Amino acid sequence: EVSQSFIWGGSWGMEKLRFTADFPAEIASRLKIESIGLGVPKAVVDKSTPGRVTYRWSGETIRGERYEIERAPSTQIGPTIHLSSIADWNAVGQWYRGLLASRNDLNPELQRLADEWTAGRISPAEQIVALHAQVADEVRYVGLEFGQADYQPHDCNEVWANRYGDCKDKANLLVALLRHRGIPASIALVNTSHLGLVDRRVPDYAMFTHAIVAIPQKKGFLFCDPTIAYSTPGMLGAGSS
């Protein structure tokens, strides 16, 4: 699969700008191409090469964007081109679930600790508080995002043994602990940039910048962010909110 975003312009003016994307015809047949914002030219499609499809966007005398403090990113408000061959958002979810396979199974020692931490706490709410505290307070936030680790969490047992991990590492560990105690939970991927707007027309894993935990409730979800030390379940940073 392929996905790409291209910002049409920048903080300085441009005399000429061209963006070219060339694909095998099979991938091109599945592409979703959308633009957001004003000023993005229409693509010229070239099928003259057998088995290939080329898209070209060209423009001249493009005005630079004026700097503003806390300005919304161009990937959210444009002018930007988004393209993706990914079928739908379910495919993104299935891909990410594949990255979690065998990395969210507690070993016997961590299962014993989870039972110990929740001993005497009868209700799910009390158990959520206890397990959330262990991950939020006892595991330092450290990101080692080499290779696939940019998106794939480390094994939950490794994260606890090292006592450090990034957002997806800590979220994966908390989800594993909750599930062991019979509490349904999942990782929720979010975009924390500005208003967190996601172009739903073009499925793309790269839209997301942060991972938190979603626990189903009678109405909606309880969202938890174990990257916030000494926080309580439901407390979120401004970006996640």
Side-chain angles (χ1 to χ4, degrees):
E1 305 293 355
V2 63
S3 65
Q4 178 71 46
S5 294
F6 184 80
I7 298 173
W8 190 259
S11 57
W12 57 87
M14 298 183 187
E15 185 63 27
K16 293 184 179 181
L17 179 61
R18 184 174 69 178
F19 174 46
T20 301
D22 179 82
F23 301 102
E26 190 278 327
I27 290 181
S29 68
R30 298 185 284 111
L31 274 180
K32 302 172 185 63
I33 302 177
E34 301 287 352
S35 63
I36 57 174
L38 301 175
V40 179
K42 186 177 180 179
V44 175
V45 183
D46 181 357
K47 299 182 180 180
S48 60
T49 302
R52 309 289 300 185
V53 178
T54 302
Y55 303 85
R56 295 187 179 91
W57 292 262
S58 300
E60 298 183 356
T61 315
I62 299 169
R63 179 178 60 85
E65 291 291 337
R66 182 171 63 87
Y67 172 76
E68 296 179 20
I69 297 175
E70 298 294 334
R71 181 182 183 274
S74 297
T75 52
Q76 292 184 19
I77 64 171
T80 298
I81 301 163
H82 291 307
L83 57 87
S84 174
S85 66
I86 301 172
D88 51 35
W89 288 103
N90 284 334
V92 176
Q94 291 170 4
W95 166 77
Y96 200 75
R97 280 192 292 273
L99 295 184
L100 304 178
S102 76
R103 294 184 175 233
N104 53 11
D105 298 323
L106 300 184
N107 60 30
E109 173 61 16
L110 202 42
Q111 290 181 23
R112 183 189 65 79
L113 287 173
D115 295 337
E116 181 181 302
W117 294 331
T118 55
R121 300 174 186 268
I122 306 301
S123 70
E126 292 177 310
Q127 295 190 35
I128 292 170
V129 169
L131 297 175
H132 181 276
Q134 290 294 329
V135 180
D137 304 345
E138 302 300 329
V139 180
R140 290 178 295 129
Y141 182 91
V142 177
L144 298 176
E145 298 169 349
F146 303 109
Q148 192 79 332
D150 195 24
Y151 285 96
Q152 186 176 45
H154 292 84
D155 183 272
C156 60
N157 302 290
E158 175 188 344
V159 173
W160 177 254
N162 292 333
R163 297 296 197 280
Y164 65 75
D166 62 10
C167 61
K168 57 189 176 294
D169 294 329
K170 299 185 74 170
N172 187 50
L173 173 58
L174 180 55
V175 167
L177 292 168
L178 291 167
R179 288 179 177 177
H180 170 70
R181 294 299 305 166
I183 300 172
S186 299
I187 291 180
L189 303 178
V190 296
N191 186 318
T192 59
S193 299
H194 202 65
L195 295 180
L197 301 178
V198 171
D199 189 347
R200 298 189 181 211
R201 302 170 299 173
V202 185
D204 186 358
Y205 63 90
M207 294 281 185
F208 304 109
T209 61
H210 190 40
I212 59 177
V213 174
I215 304 172
Q217 305 287 285
K218 289 183 178 179
K219 293 184 178 180
F221 292 87
L222 171 64
F223 291 106
C224 304
D225 189 348
T227 63
I228 305 175
Y230 306 106
S231 62
T232 56
M235 181 183 294
L236 297 177
S240 297
S241 297

